[in-house]
């Protein structure tokens, strides 16, 4: 009921401002805008002007119109616009208030005294330096906007995120995303601990027609397709640039992987959906393929009995290779808060699959031939889910998108706990992100008991 009253008040205020004004009405409107209830003001789009030339012109206009020069501040210019239609092809800004320091100019004064400047300031593309006022700042905050992933916002034209973990690019208004990532977080192996990375393109397939949710969930179906590839460095025991971070003991197989997935939101309730993610090797392990042993972490066989009747000699080392992985989950998104969607929760629950195969390494010193083999070798291990806890996948994410957005998530998969958190350092463009993983069972031979990694995150939206 409260939101309905606010919506009605906004509609009346917008129509009032758009109608012809009498001299007596102007004074009343000026007073109303300058004393507007912050509970209502937070629903108006607002941004700061940082274009040097525009700032000077705006301040000069205020001064020429007789406003108190001592109260003007060209470094504190805030534009307030009437709410625009969410379904418009692009934002339509109707300026109702310009603040310069502690002085304000309302809609009628803007139309009379700032015709040329207002045309620039209200341009849907906003072709000048500006900074949107983040939600939940004191009194004059803009409404928080619903988005699924703060590092991949759907409510901007272009978005770039760069970190050691992920690199993403939103390609205009097409809904396409180009994504690169290192590690296989879905099974608990982040950064270089999995020995693999991937690049994939995300494409929207079905537009969300639900008015209440399409700003946050513009598409009901998002499909992903790409390739995975080996990480050849960062082995345990090697001299590495980040030597303080534990080296990896798990390898990706040669030949790469096919990486794909899909998120399907239910049309009748888009907050709920089904997610599928799969990664399949494109090439099997064959003795006909040469490998570079320096790019594989190897384990000594020791007292284990591994024999190779099909080959001339028995192997002396083995390597663990991460093969197929996949998840099938149900997910639910929910925004909580009376002052707008400042608090976001997402819950994923479903099934997980992973496969790690041990391969024997053979070296033919005479012929210079080094290869991995599985067929024809006895005593090698194969690891995959074999008890109920191995199959469980669950993830809970929380994000606060107030004035200082931060987020965190906890994931259980493959009996590994993976925690992630990020927080701002400078404004809305530089963050710091950390990930930590640890097995909740006895570690496998290739696993690290505790693996923590931190990275700066550069986040640019335009």
């Amino acid at each position: 009921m409260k939101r309905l009253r606010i919506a009605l008040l906004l509609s009346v205020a917008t129509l009032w401002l758009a109608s012809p004004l009498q001299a007596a009405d102007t004074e009343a409107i000026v007073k109303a805008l300058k004393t507007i209830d912050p509970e209502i003001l937070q629903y108006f789009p607002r941004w700061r002007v940082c274009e040097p030339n525009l700032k000077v012109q705006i301040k000069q206009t205020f001064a020429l119109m007789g406003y108190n020069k001592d109260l003007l501040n060209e470094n504190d210019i805030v534009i307030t616009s009437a709410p625009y239609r969410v379904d418009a092809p692009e934002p339509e800004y109707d300026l109702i208030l310009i603040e310069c320091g502690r002085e304000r100019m309302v809609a009628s004064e803007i139309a009379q005294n700032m015709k040329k400047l207002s045309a620039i300031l209200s341009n849907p593309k906003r072709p000048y330096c500006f900074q949107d006022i983040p939600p939940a700042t004191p009194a004059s905050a803009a409404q928080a906007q619903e988005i699924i992933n703060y590092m991949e916002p759907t409510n901007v034209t272009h978005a770039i995120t760069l970190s050691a973990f992920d690199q993403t690019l939103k390609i205009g208004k097409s809904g396409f995303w180009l994504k690169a990532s290192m590690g296989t977080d879905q099974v608990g192996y982040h950064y270089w601990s999995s020995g693999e990375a991937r690049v994939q393109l995300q494409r929207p397939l079905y537009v969300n027609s639900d008015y209440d949710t399409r700003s946050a969930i513009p598409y009901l179906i998002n499909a992903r397709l790409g390739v995975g590839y080996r990480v050849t460095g960062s082995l345990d025991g090697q001299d590495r640039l980040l030597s303080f971070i534990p080296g990896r003991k798990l390898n990706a197989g040669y030949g790469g992987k096919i990486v794909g997935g899909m998120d399907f939101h239910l049309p009748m309730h888009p907050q709920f959906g089904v997610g599928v993610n799969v990664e399949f090797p494109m090439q099997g392990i064959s003795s006909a393929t040469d490998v570079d042993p320096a790019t594989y972490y190897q384990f000594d066989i020791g007292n284990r009995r591994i024999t190779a009747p099909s080959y001339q000699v028995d192997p002396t080392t083995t390597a663990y290779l991460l093969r197929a992985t996949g998840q099938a989950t149900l997910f639910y998104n929910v925004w909580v808060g009376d002052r707008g969607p400042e608090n976001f929760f997402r819950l994923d629950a479903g099934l997980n699959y992973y496969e790690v195969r041990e391969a024997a390494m053979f070296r033919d010193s005479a012929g210079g031939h080094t290869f991995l083999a599985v067929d024809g070798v006895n005593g090698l291990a194969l690891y995959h889910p074999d008890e109920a806890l191995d199959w469980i996948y669950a993830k809970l994410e929380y994000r606060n998108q107030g004035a200082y957005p931060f987020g965190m998530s906890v994931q259980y998969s493959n009996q590994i706990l993976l925690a992630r958190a990020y927080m701002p350092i400078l404004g809305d463009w530089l963050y710091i992100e950390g990930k930590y993983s640890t097995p909740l069972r006895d570690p496998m031979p290739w696993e690290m008991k505790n693996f923590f990694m931190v990275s700066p995150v550069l986040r640019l939206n335009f």
Side-chain angles (χ1 to χ4, degrees), residues 124-414:
K125 298 184 180 297
R126 291 191 284 182
Y128 53 87
C129 177
F130 69 92
Q131 181 181 13
D132 282 316
I133 296 178
T137 52
S140 60
Q143 181 188 22
Q145 294 180 312
E146 294 179 349
I147 51 178
I148 297 294
N149 187 335
Y150 193 78
M151 293 300 175
E152 299 175 13
T154 56
N155 57 349
V156 297
T157 302
H158 305 283
I160 300 175
T161 302
L162 300 173
S163 77
F165 303 114
D166 304 282
Q167 303 83 46
T168 63
L169 170 64
K170 183 176 186 292
I171 307 173
K173 297 181 179 180
S174 63
F176 283 72
W177 286 84
L178 184 62
K179 301 181 179 182
S181 62
M182 179 178 287
T184 310
D185 288 16
Q186 304 93 312
V187 292
Y189 302 135
H190 67 88
Y191 198 44
W192 61 39
S193 62
S194 70
E196 64 182 10
R198 64 199 47 74
V199 177
Q200 54 187 329
L201 180 68
Q202 177 175 299
R203 172 179 180 162
L205 295 179
Y206 196 86
V207 175
N208 181 12
S209 59
D210 181 65
Y211 181 84
D212 294 330
T213 61
R214 62 186 171 192
S215 61
I217 308 170
Y219 304 101
L220 294 179
I221 300 178
N222 287 289
R224 302 178 299 275
L225 184 64
V227 295
Y229 58 93
R230 297 187 63 228
V231 174
T232 57
S234 67
L235 295 174
D236 190 30
Q238 284 187 346
D239 292 331
R240 291 173 284 106
L241 178 62
L242 302 177
S243 58
F244 59 92
I245 301 174
R248 64 176 176 84
K249 298 181 180 181
L250 184 60
N251 308 280
Y254 49 78
K257 286 184 175 181
I258 289 289
V259 177
M262 179 179 293
D263 290 333
F264 172 71
H265 299 259
L266 294 186
M268 65 290 297
H269 192 66
Q271 295 91 332
F272 179 78
V274 179
V276 177
N277 182 73
V278 292
E279 300 188 1
F280 291 113
M282 290 190 287
Q283 185 175 344
I285 305 301
S286 170
S287 59
T289 302
D290 287 358
V291 299
D292 181 1
T295 64
Y296 290 82
Y297 187 88
Q298 302 168 53
F299 289 82
D300 290 331
I301 292 177
N303 296 325
R304 295 175 58 196
R305 182 171 175 76
I306 297 180
T307 60
S310 302
Y311 303 94
Q312 295 181 352
V313 294
D314 291 337
T316 57
T317 62
T318 64
Y320 291 99
L321 308 178
L322 180 62
R323 305 300 284 165
T325 65
Q327 295 75 36
T329 65
L330 302 176
F331 61 81
Y332 191 80
N333 304 294
V334 59
W335 291 264
V336 180
D338 294 333
R339 292 173 57 87
E342 296 180 4
N343 300 288
F344 167 81
F345 291 89
R346 177 185 173 110
L347 176 64
D348 294 72
L351 298 176
N352 167 70
Y353 180 81
Y354 79 100
E355 183 180 296
V356 175
R357 177 173 289 277
E358 185 180 23
M361 182 165 287
F362 293 85
R363 292 183 177 87
D364 181 0
S365 56
H369 182 44
T370 301
F371 61 90
L372 294 168
V374 174
D375 296 334
V377 182
N378 301 321
L380 297 177
L382 173 63
Y383 298 85
H384 55 77
D386 57 6
E387 58 181 87
L389 293 178
D390 292 336
W391 290 98
I392 296 176
Y393 178 93
K395 182 178 180 181
L396 176 63
E397 178 184 0
Y398 167 74
R399 184 185 71 243
N400 180 286
Q401 58 179 39
Y404 303 98
F406 66 92
M408 61 189 72
S409 65
V410 179
Q411 172 189 292
Y412 177 92
S413 177
N414 185 24

Side-chain angles (χ1 to χ4, degrees), residues 77-113:
I77 295 177
V78 177
I79 309 297
T80 301
S81 167
Y84 51 80
R85 288 170 40 209
V86 178
D87 60 342
E90 57 185 3
E92 300 172 358
Y93 298 110
D94 185 11
L95 307 186
I96 61 173
L97 192 66
I98 296 179
E99 302 169 75
C100 181
R102 294 165 58 186
E103 292 286 13
R104 300 181 175 191
M105 191 177 294
V106 295
S108 59
E109 296 169 321
I110 295 171
Q112 182 178 354
N113 307 314

Side-chain angles (χ1 to χ4, degrees), residues 63-78:
L64 291 172
M65 291 306 301
Y67 287 86
N68 190 335
K69 295 182 179 180
D70 294 333
L71 301 180
L72 300 178
N73 184 355
E74 65 183 62
N75 295 317
D76 185 20
I77 295 177
V78 177

